[in-house]
Amino acid sequence: MAEYLLIFRGGDAAREEEQQSPERWQAHMEKWMQWMGALTEQGKFVGAQPLKVAGRVVTGTGKVVTDGPFVEGKEMVGGYLICKAESLEEAVEISKGCPVLEHDGIVEVREINSLAH
């Protein structure tokens, strides 16, 4: 069984709900907990973390540091989850349960390259 990184992008509507209605935000977060709980019960959940919006970007050989990242909302990485799956296709099926998709978000699914010799 391989590990896959699910990268969550966009989903700005969920952040707007947080500002407008604490109850709706709580309901949205409950969907995340249920999804991750089901993955845990199946032995497929490895870990997950949300990311703060603010950060820094280091670029080029000069290692220039700037504030950022400043990208369109749909491109902003909001968090990630690592799961176990038998194949890329299974990991994609797992990603279809992600609540960010209910808010026009994007889930990028990537296999983690094993460094085994």
Side-chain angles (χ1 to χ4, degrees), residues 11 20 23-24 26 29 32 36 47 59 62 64 77 84 89:
Q20 295 174 5
E23 295 80 18
R24 287 176 63 169
Q26 182 63 36
M29 292 309 298
W32 280 92
M36 290 188 290
T59 56
V64 175
V77 175
K84 295 179 183 179
E89 291 74 22

Side-chain angles (χ1 to χ4, degrees), residues 27-48:
H28 176 70
M29 292 309 298
E30 183 61 32
K31 289 178 183 179
W32 280 92
M33 298 309 293
Q34 290 172 359
W35 180 57
M36 290 188 290
L39 291 174
T40 300
E41 289 175 12
Q42 298 168 25
K44 296 184 179 185
F45 179 82
V46 176

Side-chain angles (χ1 to χ4, degrees), residues 8-13 15 73-78 100 103-106:
F8 311 127
R9 297 180 189 276
D12 289 333
R15 288 188 203 112
K74 67 181 179 184
E75 296 173 352
M76 178 68 71
V77 175
V100 77
H103 299 280
D104 293 326
I106 298 167

Side-chain angles (χ1 to χ4, degrees), residues 6-14 28 31-32 35 91-109:
L6 280 54
I7 302 167
F8 311 127
R9 297 180 189 276
D12 289 333
H28 176 70
K31 289 178 183 179
W32 280 92
W35 180 57
V92 168
E93 286 304 311
I94 288 170
S95 76
K96 290 179 180 179
C98 181
V100 77
L101 297 171
E102 296 175 9
H103 299 280
D104 293 326
I106 298 167
V107 180
E108 180 179 338
V109 181

Side-chain angles (χ1 to χ4, degrees), residues 52-57 66-71 76-77:
K52 292 187 176 185
V53 174
R56 300 288 185 273
V57 176
T66 57
D67 290 340
F70 297 113
V71 295
M76 178 68 71
V77 175

